[in-house]
Amino acid sequence: MSTQQQEPETQEAPEDPEMKGAQSPQDRRLAEKESGAIDEESEKKAELEGETVHIKVFRYDPEVEGKQEPRFDDFHVPFEKGMTVLDAVIYARDEYDSSLTFRHSCRQAVCGSDAFFINGKQRLACKTQLSELEQPVRIEPLPHQEVVKDLVVDMGHFYDQMHAVEPYFQDEDTPEVSDLEEQHQSPENREKIKMSSRCIWCGACMSSCNIAAGDNQYLGPAAINKAYKFAMDDRESEEIKEHRLRILEQEHGVWRCQTQFSCTEVCPKDIPLTEHIQELKREAVKKNLKFW
Ligand code: SF4
Ligand code: FES
């Protein structure tokens, strides 16, 4: 179904030649569409000439009769240099179908709320340039997660796994509040955990992981990376580190990882997830080595 193909209106919109020059391509396309000047053929032509991009967006709404069957909707969005996939879906929602539902917030790869499955790969929509994608651009919710509506997935399980690794700094000898002092970290140690601290909880890695897809209890790359951040932090004691490794070496922990690298490939923050998981495996082995 294309929400683009509206009935042509009989009355032509008056055109001010001076104003036309000042309009953005998006405003111009919208005005042309409203005046009925755009039909399917000119839509194709505009797409070929790079004036529009064709996006195919997954739609599903379990609460509305007639929309419970998953489908794709086509939108032809006016293209401007520098446009991202998020810009395109926002335009489609604002101008063509206000019921199109998806999460987004910061628009600068910080909040992690707009990870979608775009042209067959988990990506952040606000970080993905339309010009780099083949058309039609296919936009789907993250695989292996329950779809709530359209592009919105239930992140509950992902957050549970993140919390399972106790993602907060722990120190057995925490001084009284009145004696609190800065806890210094060496520059080398900061460098070691720097990449692991970049996670924005977008869930792209978890969605790309075959192991997580087949084992619902697997902690998953993001949670293991979060545990890495703390386990490798020199400011935590050896006892706490051992406690963390015990969580990680359990049946659904690090040993489930088969080093497929899919998580590392999709992470929008370039975190070397597979490398971190392998390092934790080595730490777990070292912890269990006994010398008689
Ligand atoms: S590790 Fe990367 S892909 Fe996974 S949740 Fe964090 S930022 Fe997203
Ligand atoms: S909108 Fe915040 S990461 Fe994309």
Side-chain angles (χ1 to χ4, degrees), residues 73-92:
D73 277 358
D74 295 275
F75 301 94
H76 297 267
V77 175
F79 178 72
E80 276 186 358
K81 197 166 171 247
M83 243 178 124
T84 64
V85 171
L86 181 63
D87 293 330
V89 284
I90 287 176
Y91 188 91

Side-chain angles (χ1 to χ4, degrees), residues 102-120:
F102 50 93
R103 294 192 183 104
H104 70 95
S105 178
C106 69
R107 298 194 186 191
Q108 47 190 321
V110 172
C111 73
S113 61
D114 63 337
F116 306 141
F117 197 55
I118 301 167
N119 276 7

Side-chain angles (χ1 to χ4, degrees), residues 206-274:
M206 187 81 150
S207 163
S208 76
C209 176
N210 282 334
I211 313 302
D215 174 5
N216 202 35
Q217 293 181 61
Y218 175 43
L219 287 171
I224 296 175
N225 173 69
K226 185 58 73 182
Y228 176 97
K229 174 183 184 293
F230 292 102
M232 295 299 167
D233 190 322
D234 282 350
R235 293 169 298 177
E236 284 196 343
S237 69
E238 277 305 308
E239 287 72 29
I240 300 284
K241 182 170 175 175
E242 277 197 24
H243 167 68
R244 293 197 182 279
L245 290 174
R246 271 196 296 280
I247 297 174
L248 293 169
E249 65 185 359
Q250 44 128 330
E251 193 187 343
H252 302 280
V254 288
W255 299 106
R256 286 276 157 171
C257 170
Q258 294 180 2
T259 56
Q260 294 177 353
F261 285 92
S262 56
C263 54
T264 306
E265 237 171 70
V266 301
C267 176
K269 305 308 277 187
D270 300 324
I271 303 171
L273 295 163
T274 315

